[in-house]
């Protein structure tokens, strides 16, 4: 109903505002505090930037659709949305892998950490994740635009994505679906298993640490793993079965593009003592300036 669409507009709009403001606050806080200049916080600020971009690819058009009676998107804009959706999603997957590796080095080989994860290496890793995300996204976009489209043009979702768009093609898309699973599905599943494995190794190595060291490491790692589970769950659910549709798919898509980017700042801020202290000091500084 129109009333439900208007209610969704208000809720989704508030979620998007919280996503942008929350992640901007994380970026500003990390860059403003000298105590947060470690690789972990450098990667966290990059994660917040990606979350803003990821949400902004789909949510504005989704909000427009909730207000308008006729919900349309041009083919070029659909492909553009699809490209950037996969670019930012894949960049986030690779960044979460890098963050897991950062925690592994910091906890399991602390004496080598300053040499292994210096700022030069961190910048190279961020450049590599954007390069990898671009290559992945170009591949997904090519798989989509090479197909002929001549018939149905209704997408059963709130935004354009590869599994949804290729269903509109006037040809057999079985091979394309297999390639999607090989690309997006395999990346999502294998990266998730790699992160899980790294955290299992970290948990085993924590037995050698002091009680305070274990507490601090577990606090940081649990926040990161919570974000990993929330992000990878929908990715694996959607991209490992492109030929099959469930009624819950649209709910998962909204959760994936709207809710997860909003939760990141809350999870990291509430679970991280240094972030909470930095936010408190930043708030005090602005109160004094005011």
């Amino acid at each position: 109903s129109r009333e439900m669409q208007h209610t969704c507009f208000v809720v989704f709009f508030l979620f998007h505002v919280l996503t942008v403001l929350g992640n901007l606050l994380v970026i500003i806080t990390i860059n403003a505090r000298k105590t947060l200049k470690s690789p972990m916080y450098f990667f966290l600020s990059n994660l917040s930037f990606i979350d803003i971009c990821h949400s902004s690819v789909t949510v504005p058009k989704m909000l427009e659709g909730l207000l308008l009676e006729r919900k349309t998107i041009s083919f070029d804009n659909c492909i553009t949305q699809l490209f950037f959706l996969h670019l930012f999603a894949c960049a986030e997957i690779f960044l979460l892998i890098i963050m897991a590796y950062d925690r592994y080095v910091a906890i399991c080989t602390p004496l080598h950490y300053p040499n292994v994860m210096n700022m030069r290496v961190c910048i190279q890793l961020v450049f590599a994740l954007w390069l990898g995300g671009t290559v992945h996204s170009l591949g997904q976009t090519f798989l989509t635009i090479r197909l002929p489209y001549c018939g149905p043009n209704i997408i059963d979702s709130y935004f354009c994505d590869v599994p949804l768009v290729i269903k509109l093609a006037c040809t057999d898309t079985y091979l394309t679906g297999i390639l999607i699973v090989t690309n997006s599905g395999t990346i999502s599943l294998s990266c998730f298993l790699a992160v899980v494995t790294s955290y299992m190794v970290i948990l085993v190595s924590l037995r050698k640490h002091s009680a305070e060291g274990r507490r601090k490491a577990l606090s940081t790692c649990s926040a990161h793993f919570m974000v990993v589970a929330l992000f990878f769950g929908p990715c694996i659910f959607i991209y490992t079965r492109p030929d099959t549709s469930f009624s819950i798919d649209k709910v998962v898509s909204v959760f994936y593009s709207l809710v997860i980017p909003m939760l990141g700042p809350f999870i990291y801020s509430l679970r991280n003592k240094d972030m909470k202290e930095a936010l408190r000091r930043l708030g005090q500084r602005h109160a004094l300036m005011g």
Side-chain angles (χ1 to χ4, degrees), residues 20-288:
V20 174
L21 294 180
N23 283 288
L24 274 177
L25 182 60
V26 170
I27 295 171
I28 292 169
T29 303
I30 289 173
N31 285 280
R33 299 296 301 173
K34 291 182 179 179
T35 55
L36 303 180
K37 296 300 180 184
S38 66
M40 182 179 76
Y41 294 108
F42 172 73
F43 293 136
L44 181 56
S45 64
N46 277 273
L47 180 64
S48 291
F49 172 73
I50 293 174
D51 277 338
I52 292 173
C53 296
H54 188 192
S55 180
S56 299
V57 170
T58 57
V59 176
K61 189 65 179 175
M62 192 191 309
L63 293 173
E64 178 191 291
L66 290 169
L67 287 180
L68 300 179
E69 189 73 37
R70 191 165 182 265
K71 312 168 198 314
T72 62
I73 185 170
S74 69
F75 182 76
D76 289 344
N77 287 341
C78 182
I79 295 300
T80 301
Q81 189 179 66
L82 180 152
F83 172 81
F84 283 105
L85 176 69
H86 279 267
L87 170 62
F88 296 128
C90 191
E92 183 153 349
I93 285 175
F94 291 151
L95 181 56
L96 291 172
I97 286 285
I98 292 170
M99 292 175 74
Y101 175 70
D102 172 69
R103 290 300 84 204
Y104 166 78
V105 176
I107 294 170
C108 297
T109 58
L111 296 179
H112 297 288
Y113 184 74
N115 293 325
V116 175
M117 295 301 292
N118 57 61
M119 191 50 63
R120 180 167 169 268
V121 171
C122 292
I123 292 172
Q124 289 174 341
L125 288 171
V126 169
F127 175 78
L129 75 85
W130 283 111
L131 180 62
T134 302
V135 171
H136 161 78
S137 190
L138 285 172
Q140 295 293 88
T141 305
F142 173 74
L143 288 174
T144 306
I145 61 175
R146 72 181 183 86
L147 299 172
Y149 297 94
C150 55
N153 60 356
I154 298 174
I155 296 174
D156 187 24
S157 187
Y158 300 105
F159 52 83
C160 295
D161 199 358
V162 177
L164 302 164
V165 175
I166 66 170
K167 289 179 181 177
L168 308 181
C170 307
T171 185
D172 180 26
T173 59
Y174 177 77
L175 181 59
T176 304
I178 295 296
L179 292 173
I180 291 170
V181 171
T182 304
N183 194 331
S184 295
T186 303
I187 287 176
S188 302
L189 188 57
S190 59
C191 288
F192 177 70
L193 292 175
V195 172
V196 171
T197 302
S198 71
Y199 278 105
M200 289 175 66
V201 174
I202 289 172
L203 286 173
V204 171
S205 70
L206 282 177
R207 293 181 301 176
K208 304 174 185 177
H209 290 65
S210 64
E212 176 63 20
R214 283 198 299 270
R215 186 197 62 78
K216 188 173 182 179
L218 284 172
S219 177
T220 303
C221 291
S222 63
H224 181 222
F225 191 75
M226 204 180 303
V227 172
V228 167
L230 286 169
F231 185 81
F232 277 95
C235 285
I236 294 170
F237 180 79
I238 293 170
Y239 296 114
T240 53
R241 46 164 196 85
D243 291 331
T244 310
S245 297
F246 298 133
S247 58
I248 200 175
D249 284 358
K250 289 189 284 293
V251 177
V252 174
S253 297
V254 170
F255 184 78
Y256 170 66
S257 62
L258 185 69
V259 180
I260 294 175
M262 180 191 69
L263 293 177
F266 292 101
I267 293 172
Y268 280 109
S269 300
L270 294 174
R271 300 283 299 178
N272 189 300
K273 182 180 176 182
D274 294 334
M275 276 296 296
K276 285 192 286 188
E277 178 65 19
L279 286 167
R280 187 181 65 81
R281 289 181 177 274
L282 189 66
Q284 288 177 342
R285 184 197 303 176
H286 281 280
L288 290 171

